[in-house]
Amino acid sequence: MPWFVWLLAAGVLGAAEFFTLTLVFGLLAGAALVAAVVAGAGIGAAGQIAAFGAVTAAGLLLVRPVALRHMARQPLTREGTDALIGRRAEVMQEVTATHGLIKLSGEEWSARALDESLVIPVGAFVDVMEIDGATAIVYPRELLP
């Protein structure tokens, strides 16, 4: 089989991978590229098919499970408002279930108390439990009197 047929197959399989993102077609495209190189070296059809089969098997059995495992991992760093959850803040204006103001990471944020029955006084330190839009939902670090 001529090498350009394998190269064409690699292109088609690469395009299929682009649209499906399953990693299967991409590995098959890589195997077709190896078969194209083998064909270009003058090895017969049996050798080309053997190379295609060996690279496909290695890719599907060895590479794909490792790649899927790495893609499923959560990122180690949190970004945006997710990075603020769990941070400590100081109350600038009394925080209740409906309104308040805190200083968080050097910025002033509107805030609400997580527990609707709490009134957190000025100067108290709170933990950010979640971010709802531009409002921090907070809970006091120490018990209130």
Side-chain angles (χ1 to χ4, degrees):
M1 190 178 324
W3 62 270
F4 62 84
V5 174
W6 285 111
L7 200 57
L8 180 65
V12 170
L13 290 166
E17 176 62 34
F18 179 78
F19 289 109
T20 62
L21 299 176
T22 61
L23 245 118
V24 173
F25 290 117
L27 293 170
L28 291 173
L33 284 175
V34 170
V37 170
V38 170
I43 298 176
Q48 296 169 29
I49 292 172
F52 179 78
V55 174
T56 298
L60 293 177
L61 296 175
L62 301 175
V63 175
R64 187 169 187 262
V66 173
L68 290 176
R69 210 171 24 250
H70 282 284
M71 288 176 14
R73 282 191 189 163
Q74 293 293 325
L76 296 176
T77 58
R78 295 186 299 177
E79 299 174 344
T81 57
D82 287 340
L84 299 174
I85 295 173
R87 303 283 300 265
R88 180 179 140 173
E90 183 179 357
V91 176
M92 305 301 289
Q93 248 180 27
E94 184 177 79
V95 176
T96 65
T98 59
H99 68 280
L101 192 66
I102 61 171
K103 187 162 199 155
L104 173 63
S105 295
E107 299 176 346
E108 290 186 355
W109 279 72
S110 59
R112 290 192 326 248
L114 179 66
D115 184 350
E116 294 180 5
S117 65
L118 286 178
V119 176
I120 306 169
V122 174
F125 289 102
V126 293
D127 287 322
V128 177
M129 306 307 283
E130 63 182 277
I131 302 290
D132 182 19
T135 303
I137 311 300
V138 298
Y139 195 79
R141 290 183 73 89
E142 286 107 29
L143 294 175
L144 298 173

